[in-house]
Amino acid sequence: KTLSEETDPIGKENFAKIGGQAAKKAWTSAKLEAAGSKGSGQYVSEWKVRVNTSGDNLGENLVLNDTLPSDPSTASIQYIPESLTVYKATINDGTSEVPAGAVKLTEGTDYTVEWNSNYTSLKVIFKDGSQSYYVTYNTTTPGDGSLVGNKVALLKNNTEALPQRNNRLIYGYVSER
């Protein structure tokens, strides 16, 4: 966190991506299996995204776009759709775990999710863009030391790209582990 001489934060965080470390954690996914993919495994990469950390009113239909790169330098992985969880929470810059007091939200009521057919792209649409959100999910991972990657971006009204911070104009962030 960057502070001014008056110790006020400089810039407001719109989104931040955390995680990607491989963990030995057994998983199953009926949705991946139904899509013709492997339906279980022993390793995952755990990902977390802070959204609208400052709680500014970013309007209705605030969209988190998350994609897994199809780059030959990274392992071919997929989201485990059943692992996606969305929380409404008061968030401080630097928070790397679900904050105390976070409220788990309900898909279809508080937000909607759109997946592509092979679960390598997801879109979370928040109905209320004036709240702070914490999103967690897992991806498959080979567990062999291969590089995995994940790209996140945030859109206001599903059209206007927002920078990672209003004082750091990065409009899409790629996290690799």
Side-chain angles (χ1 to χ4, degrees), residues 31-32 66 68 78-85 107 112-124 136-139:
K31 292 179 180 181
L32 282 177
D66 205 308
L68 303 173
Q78 294 174 289
Y79 296 103
I80 302 170
E82 292 88 348
S83 70
L84 178 72
T85 307
E107 183 179 351
T112 57
V113 179
E114 297 175 8
W115 303 93
N116 69 345
S117 62
N118 63 350
Y119 294 101
T120 58
S121 176
L122 75 89
K123 183 186 283 190
V124 179
T136 65
Y137 54 85
N138 297 332
T139 58

mmCIF file of all heavy atoms in Angstrom, residues 31-32 66 68 78-85 107 112-124 136-139:
data_model
loop_
_atom_site.group_PDB
_atom_site.id
_atom_site.type_symbol
_atom_site.label_atom_id
_atom_site.label_comp_id
_atom_site.label_asym_id
_atom_site.label_seq_id
_atom_site.Cartn_x
_atom_site.Cartn_y
_atom_site.Cartn_z
ATOM 1 N N LYS A 31 -19.358 -31.323 -13.444
ATOM 2 C CA LYS A 31 -19.489 -30.422 -14.595
ATOM 3 C C LYS A 31 -18.339 -30.611 -15.582
ATOM 4 O O LYS A 31 -18.553 -30.614 -16.792
ATOM 5 C CB LYS A 31 -19.580 -28.968 -14.130
ATOM 6 C CG LYS A 31 -20.879 -28.671 -13.393
ATOM 7 C CD LYS A 31 -20.951 -27.244 -12.913
ATOM 8 C CE LYS A 31 -22.263 -26.997 -12.185
ATOM 9 N NZ LYS A 31 -22.389 -25.632 -11.726
ATOM 10 N N LEU A 32 -17.116 -30.747 -15.085
ATOM 11 C CA LEU A 32 -15.988 -30.996 -15.987
ATOM 12 C C LEU A 32 -16.152 -32.352 -16.678
ATOM 13 O O LEU A 32 -15.908 -32.471 -17.881
ATOM 14 C CB LEU A 32 -14.657 -30.952 -15.229
ATOM 15 C CG LEU A 32 -14.101 -29.584 -14.890
ATOM 16 C CD1 LEU A 32 -12.809 -29.707 -14.083
ATOM 17 C CD2 LEU A 32 -13.871 -28.745 -16.125
ATOM 18 N N ASP A 66 -12.385 -13.587 -16.122
ATOM 19 C CA ASP A 66 -11.248 -14.383 -15.704
ATOM 20 C C ASP A 66 -10.998 -15.432 -16.777
ATOM 21 O O ASP A 66 -11.933 -16.134 -17.175
ATOM 22 C CB ASP A 66 -11.582 -15.043 -14.365
ATOM 23 C CG ASP A 66 -10.357 -15.388 -13.553
ATOM 24 O OD1 ASP A 66 -9.463 -16.043 -14.110
ATOM 25 O OD2 ASP A 66 -10.310 -15.028 -12.372
ATOM 26 N N LEU A 68 -8.102 -18.417 -18.521
ATOM 27 C CA LEU A 68 -6.885 -19.210 -18.419
ATOM 28 C C LEU A 68 -6.196 -19.140 -19.768
ATOM 29 O O LEU A 68 -6.808 -19.447 -20.789
ATOM 30 C CB LEU A 68 -7.228 -20.660 -18.060
ATOM 31 C CG LEU A 68 -8.027 -20.818 -16.760
ATOM 32 C CD1 LEU A 68 -8.459 -22.258 -16.564
ATOM 33 C CD2 LEU A 68 -7.224 -20.315 -15.579
ATOM 34 N N GLN A 78 -8.067 -26.148 -16.267
ATOM 35 C CA GLN A 78 -9.469 -25.743 -16.346
ATOM 36 C C GLN A 78 -9.939 -25.304 -14.964
ATOM 37 O O GLN A 78 -9.406 -25.743 -13.943
ATOM 38 C CB GLN A 78 -10.342 -26.911 -16.810
ATOM 39 C CG GLN A 78 -10.077 -27.350 -18.228
ATOM 40 C CD GLN A 78 -10.861 -28.606 -18.568
ATOM 41 O OE1 GLN A 78 -10.550 -29.677 -18.076
ATOM 42 N NE2 GLN A 78 -11.882 -28.453 -19.397
ATOM 43 N N TYR A 79 -10.967 -24.461 -14.944
ATOM 44 C CA TYR A 79 -11.615 -24.120 -13.688
ATOM 45 C C TYR A 79 -12.341 -25.356 -13.174
ATOM 46 O O TYR A 79 -12.848 -26.154 -13.962
ATOM 47 C CB TYR A 79 -12.652 -23.011 -13.881
ATOM 48 C CG TYR A 79 -12.062 -21.704 -14.338
ATOM 49 C CD1 TYR A 79 -12.171 -21.298 -15.654
ATOM 50 C CD2 TYR A 79 -11.410 -20.872 -13.442
ATOM 51 C CE1 TYR A 79 -11.634 -20.104 -16.087
ATOM 52 C CE2 TYR A 79 -10.868 -19.670 -13.869
ATOM 53 C CZ TYR A 79 -10.982 -19.294 -15.192
ATOM 54 O OH TYR A 79 -10.442 -18.116 -15.610
ATOM 55 N N ILE A 80 -12.414 -25.494 -11.877
ATOM 56 C CA ILE A 80 -13.266 -26.494 -11.246
ATOM 57 C C ILE A 80 -14.517 -25.722 -10.832
ATOM 58 O O ILE A 80 -14.517 -25.031 -9.805
ATOM 59 C CB ILE A 80 -12.565 -27.155 -10.040
ATOM 60 C CG1 ILE A 80 -11.252 -27.799 -10.494
ATOM 61 C CG2 ILE A 80 -13.495 -28.179 -9.379
ATOM 62 C CD1 ILE A 80 -10.358 -28.283 -9.367
ATOM 63 N N PRO A 81 -15.579 -25.757 -11.668
ATOM 64 C CA PRO A 81 -16.710 -24.846 -11.465
ATOM 65 C C PRO A 81 -17.375 -24.958 -10.093
ATOM 66 O O PRO A 81 -17.839 -23.949 -9.546
ATOM 67 C CB PRO A 81 -17.685 -25.193 -12.590
ATOM 68 C CG PRO A 81 -17.141 -26.365 -13.288
ATOM 69 C CD PRO A 81 -15.750 -26.602 -12.834
ATOM 70 N N GLU A 82 -17.402 -26.135 -9.535
ATOM 71 C CA GLU A 82 -18.048 -26.319 -8.232
ATOM 72 C C GLU A 82 -17.307 -25.607 -7.107
ATOM 73 O O GLU A 82 -17.857 -25.411 -6.020
ATOM 74 C CB GLU A 82 -18.154 -27.819 -7.899
ATOM 75 C CG GLU A 82 -19.101 -28.585 -8.789
ATOM 76 C CD GLU A 82 -18.454 -29.131 -10.067
ATOM 77 O OE1 GLU A 82 -17.308 -28.742 -10.408
ATOM 78 O OE2 GLU A 82 -19.096 -29.942 -10.734
ATOM 79 N N SER A 83 -16.073 -25.192 -7.337
ATOM 80 C CA SER A 83 -15.279 -24.537 -6.289
ATOM 81 C C SER A 83 -15.502 -23.027 -6.214
ATOM 82 O O SER A 83 -15.056 -22.390 -5.251
ATOM 83 C CB SER A 83 -13.787 -24.816 -6.497
ATOM 84 O OG SER A 83 -13.300 -24.140 -7.651
ATOM 85 N N LEU A 84 -16.180 -22.443 -7.194
ATOM 86 C CA LEU A 84 -16.381 -20.986 -7.207
ATOM 87 C C LEU A 84 -17.256 -20.545 -6.041
ATOM 88 O O LEU A 84 -18.351 -21.065 -5.845
ATOM 89 C CB LEU A 84 -17.039 -20.550 -8.521
ATOM 90 C CG LEU A 84 -17.348 -19.063 -8.631
ATOM 91 C CD1 LEU A 84 -16.076 -18.251 -8.817
ATOM 92 C CD2 LEU A 84 -18.306 -18.800 -9.768
ATOM 93 N N THR A 85 -16.734 -19.589 -5.263
ATOM 94 C CA THR A 85 -17.489 -19.016 -4.144
ATOM 95 C C THR A 85 -17.312 -17.501 -4.190
ATOM 96 O O THR A 85 -16.208 -17.003 -4.407
ATOM 97 C CB THR A 85 -16.979 -19.558 -2.791
ATOM 98 O OG1 THR A 85 -16.976 -20.989 -2.839
ATOM 99 C CG2 THR A 85 -17.867 -19.115 -1.656
ATOM 100 N N GLU A 107 -25.550 -17.574 -6.014
ATOM 101 C CA GLU A 107 -25.570 -17.436 -7.470
ATOM 102 C C GLU A 107 -27.020 -17.338 -7.945
ATOM 103 O O GLU A 107 -27.896 -18.029 -7.456
ATOM 104 C CB GLU A 107 -24.886 -18.631 -8.130
ATOM 105 C CG GLU A 107 -24.811 -18.512 -9.635
ATOM 106 C CD GLU A 107 -24.119 -19.675 -10.316
ATOM 107 O OE1 GLU A 107 -23.527 -20.521 -9.625
ATOM 108 O OE2 GLU A 107 -24.180 -19.727 -11.552
ATOM 109 N N THR A 112 -24.389 -13.545 -11.175
ATOM 110 C CA THR A 112 -24.543 -14.640 -12.133
ATOM 111 C C THR A 112 -23.154 -15.015 -12.657
ATOM 112 O O THR A 112 -22.220 -14.226 -12.563
ATOM 113 C CB THR A 112 -25.465 -14.263 -13.315
ATOM 114 O OG1 THR A 112 -24.937 -13.093 -13.945
ATOM 115 C CG2 THR A 112 -26.884 -13.992 -12.855
ATOM 116 N N VAL A 113 -23.067 -16.224 -13.186
ATOM 117 C CA VAL A 113 -21.793 -16.717 -13.714
ATOM 118 C C VAL A 113 -22.016 -17.255 -15.110
ATOM 119 O O VAL A 113 -22.998 -17.962 -15.363
ATOM 120 C CB VAL A 113 -21.205 -17.843 -12.831
ATOM 121 C CG1 VAL A 113 -19.891 -18.352 -13.411
ATOM 122 C CG2 VAL A 113 -21.002 -17.370 -11.418
ATOM 123 N N GLU A 114 -21.114 -16.912 -16.013
ATOM 124 C CA GLU A 114 -21.113 -17.468 -17.363
ATOM 125 C C GLU A 114 -19.776 -18.155 -17.582
ATOM 126 O O GLU A 114 -18.726 -17.568 -17.342
ATOM 127 C CB GLU A 114 -21.303 -16.361 -18.403
ATOM 128 C CG GLU A 114 -22.632 -15.645 -18.300
ATOM 129 C CD GLU A 114 -22.743 -14.463 -19.256
ATOM 130 O OE1 GLU A 114 -21.849 -14.278 -20.120
ATOM 131 O OE2 GLU A 114 -23.715 -13.701 -19.110
ATOM 132 N N TRP A 115 -19.819 -19.415 -18.011
ATOM 133 C CA TRP A 115 -18.621 -20.207 -18.319
ATOM 134 C C TRP A 115 -18.568 -20.445 -19.813
ATOM 135 O O TRP A 115 -19.603 -20.556 -20.452
ATOM 136 C CB TRP A 115 -18.697 -21.575 -17.642
ATOM 137 C CG TRP A 115 -18.874 -21.568 -16.167
ATOM 138 C CD1 TRP A 115 -20.062 -21.630 -15.474
ATOM 139 C CD2 TRP A 115 -17.853 -21.529 -15.170
ATOM 140 N NE1 TRP A 115 -19.832 -21.624 -14.133
ATOM 141 C CE2 TRP A 115 -18.478 -21.566 -13.912
ATOM 142 C CE3 TRP A 115 -16.467 -21.456 -15.237
ATOM 143 C CZ2 TRP A 115 -17.765 -21.540 -12.721
ATOM 144 C CZ3 TRP A 115 -15.754 -21.437 -14.040
ATOM 145 C CH2 TRP A 115 -16.402 -21.479 -12.806
ATOM 146 N N ASN A 116 -17.367 -20.599 -20.379
ATOM 147 C CA ASN A 116 -17.300 -21.073 -21.751
ATOM 148 C C ASN A 116 -17.439 -22.600 -21.720
ATOM 149 O O ASN A 116 -17.447 -23.213 -20.643
ATOM 150 C CB ASN A 116 -16.037 -20.587 -22.477
ATOM 151 C CG ASN A 116 -14.767 -21.213 -21.958
ATOM 152 O OD1 ASN A 116 -14.727 -21.815 -20.885
ATOM 153 N ND2 ASN A 116 -13.696 -21.056 -22.709
ATOM 154 N N SER A 117 -17.560 -23.230 -22.875
ATOM 155 C CA SER A 117 -17.899 -24.651 -22.941
ATOM 156 C C SER A 117 -16.840 -25.578 -22.351
ATOM 157 O O SER A 117 -17.165 -26.658 -21.862
ATOM 158 C CB SER A 117 -18.193 -25.061 -24.385
ATOM 159 O OG SER A 117 -17.036 -24.858 -25.189
ATOM 160 N N ASN A 118 -15.570 -25.179 -22.357
ATOM 161 C CA ASN A 118 -14.536 -26.064 -21.812
ATOM 162 C C ASN A 118 -13.963 -25.564 -20.476
ATOM 163 O O ASN A 118 -12.910 -26.007 -20.046
ATOM 164 C CB ASN A 118 -13.416 -26.307 -22.833
ATOM 165 C CG ASN A 118 -12.672 -25.040 -23.198
ATOM 166 O OD1 ASN A 118 -13.082 -23.940 -22.839
ATOM 167 N ND2 ASN A 118 -11.571 -25.183 -23.908
ATOM 168 N N TYR A 119 -14.660 -24.650 -19.833
ATOM 169 C CA TYR A 119 -14.303 -24.164 -18.500
ATOM 170 C C TYR A 119 -12.886 -23.591 -18.426
ATOM 171 O O TYR A 119 -12.138 -23.858 -17.496
ATOM 172 C CB TYR A 119 -14.506 -25.259 -17.447
ATOM 173 C CG TYR A 119 -15.968 -25.616 -17.284
ATOM 174 C CD1 TYR A 119 -16.499 -26.751 -17.883
ATOM 175 C CD2 TYR A 119 -16.824 -24.794 -16.565
ATOM 176 C CE1 TYR A 119 -17.840 -27.064 -17.766
ATOM 177 C CE2 TYR A 119 -18.175 -25.098 -16.435
ATOM 178 C CZ TYR A 119 -18.669 -26.234 -17.039
ATOM 179 O OH TYR A 119 -20.008 -26.531 -16.920
ATOM 180 N N THR A 120 -12.554 -22.747 -19.414
ATOM 181 C CA THR A 120 -11.280 -22.024 -19.389
ATOM 182 C C THR A 120 -11.498 -20.514 -19.359
ATOM 183 O O THR A 120 -10.553 -19.742 -19.428
ATOM 184 C CB THR A 120 -10.404 -22.388 -20.606
ATOM 185 O OG1 THR A 120 -11.120 -22.094 -21.798
ATOM 186 C CG2 THR A 120 -9.995 -23.860 -20.566
ATOM 187 N N SER A 121 -12.746 -20.104 -19.270
ATOM 188 C CA SER A 121 -13.087 -18.690 -19.167
ATOM 189 C C SER A 121 -14.353 -18.570 -18.321
ATOM 190 O O SER A 121 -15.282 -19.369 -18.476
ATOM 191 C CB SER A 121 -13.327 -18.115 -20.567
ATOM 192 O OG SER A 121 -13.748 -16.777 -20.486
ATOM 193 N N LEU A 122 -14.362 -17.579 -17.442
ATOM 194 C CA LEU A 122 -15.565 -17.346 -16.647
ATOM 195 C C LEU A 122 -15.815 -15.862 -16.533
ATOM 196 O O LEU A 122 -14.906 -15.038 -16.628
ATOM 197 C CB LEU A 122 -15.472 -18.010 -15.269
ATOM 198 C CG LEU A 122 -14.588 -17.404 -14.183
ATOM 199 C CD1 LEU A 122 -15.350 -16.385 -13.356
ATOM 200 C CD2 LEU A 122 -14.107 -18.510 -13.268
ATOM 201 N N LYS A 123 -17.066 -15.541 -16.331
ATOM 202 C CA LYS A 123 -17.497 -14.160 -16.164
ATOM 203 C C LYS A 123 -18.445 -14.146 -14.966
ATOM 204 O O LYS A 123 -19.449 -14.842 -14.963
ATOM 205 C CB LYS A 123 -18.228 -13.700 -17.421
ATOM 206 C CG LYS A 123 -18.660 -12.258 -17.401
ATOM 207 C CD LYS A 123 -19.504 -11.895 -18.620
ATOM 208 C CE LYS A 123 -18.647 -11.727 -19.834
ATOM 209 N NZ LYS A 123 -19.404 -11.134 -20.966
ATOM 210 N N VAL A 124 -18.080 -13.370 -13.926
ATOM 211 C CA VAL A 124 -18.950 -13.186 -12.767
ATOM 212 C C VAL A 124 -19.558 -11.798 -12.894
ATOM 213 O O VAL A 124 -18.836 -10.801 -12.991
ATOM 214 C CB VAL A 124 -18.168 -13.310 -11.433
ATOM 215 C CG1 VAL A 124 -19.109 -13.093 -10.245
ATOM 216 C CG2 VAL A 124 -17.475 -14.660 -11.331
ATOM 217 N N THR A 136 -13.338 -16.694 -4.707
ATOM 218 C CA THR A 136 -12.368 -17.784 -4.608
ATOM 219 C C THR A 136 -12.772 -18.904 -5.558
ATOM 220 O O THR A 136 -13.959 -19.122 -5.813
ATOM 221 C CB THR A 136 -12.269 -18.350 -3.179
ATOM 222 O OG1 THR A 136 -13.511 -18.956 -2.826
ATOM 223 C CG2 THR A 136 -11.924 -17.268 -2.172
ATOM 224 N N TYR A 137 -11.780 -19.608 -6.090
ATOM 225 C CA TYR A 137 -12.035 -20.774 -6.928
ATOM 226 C C TYR A 137 -10.740 -21.543 -7.110
ATOM 227 O O TYR A 137 -9.659 -21.043 -6.826
ATOM 228 C CB TYR A 137 -12.620 -20.388 -8.295
ATOM 229 C CG TYR A 137 -11.783 -19.385 -9.022
ATOM 230 C CD1 TYR A 137 -10.711 -19.776 -9.802
ATOM 231 C CD2 TYR A 137 -12.044 -18.023 -8.894
ATOM 232 C CE1 TYR A 137 -9.917 -18.843 -10.447
ATOM 233 C CE2 TYR A 137 -11.257 -17.090 -9.535
ATOM 234 C CZ TYR A 137 -10.203 -17.508 -10.303
ATOM 235 O OH TYR A 137 -9.410 -16.589 -10.923
ATOM 236 N N ASN A 138 -10.875 -22.758 -7.582
ATOM 237 C CA ASN A 138 -9.722 -23.607 -7.861
ATOM 238 C C ASN A 138 -9.683 -23.941 -9.342
ATOM 239 O O ASN A 138 -10.723 -23.964 -10.010
ATOM 240 C CB ASN A 138 -9.798 -24.920 -7.070
ATOM 241 C CG ASN A 138 -9.750 -24.695 -5.575
ATOM 242 O OD1 ASN A 138 -9.180 -23.720 -5.103
ATOM 243 N ND2 ASN A 138 -10.341 -25.595 -4.825
ATOM 244 N N THR A 139 -8.483 -24.230 -9.815
ATOM 245 C CA THR A 139 -8.317 -24.777 -11.156
ATOM 246 C C THR A 139 -7.614 -26.125 -11.025
ATOM 247 O O THR A 139 -6.942 -26.390 -10.023
ATOM 248 C CB THR A 139 -7.461 -23.863 -12.066
ATOM 249 O OG1 THR A 139 -6.179 -23.660 -11.464
ATOM 250 C CG2 THR A 139 -8.153 -22.530 -12.317
#
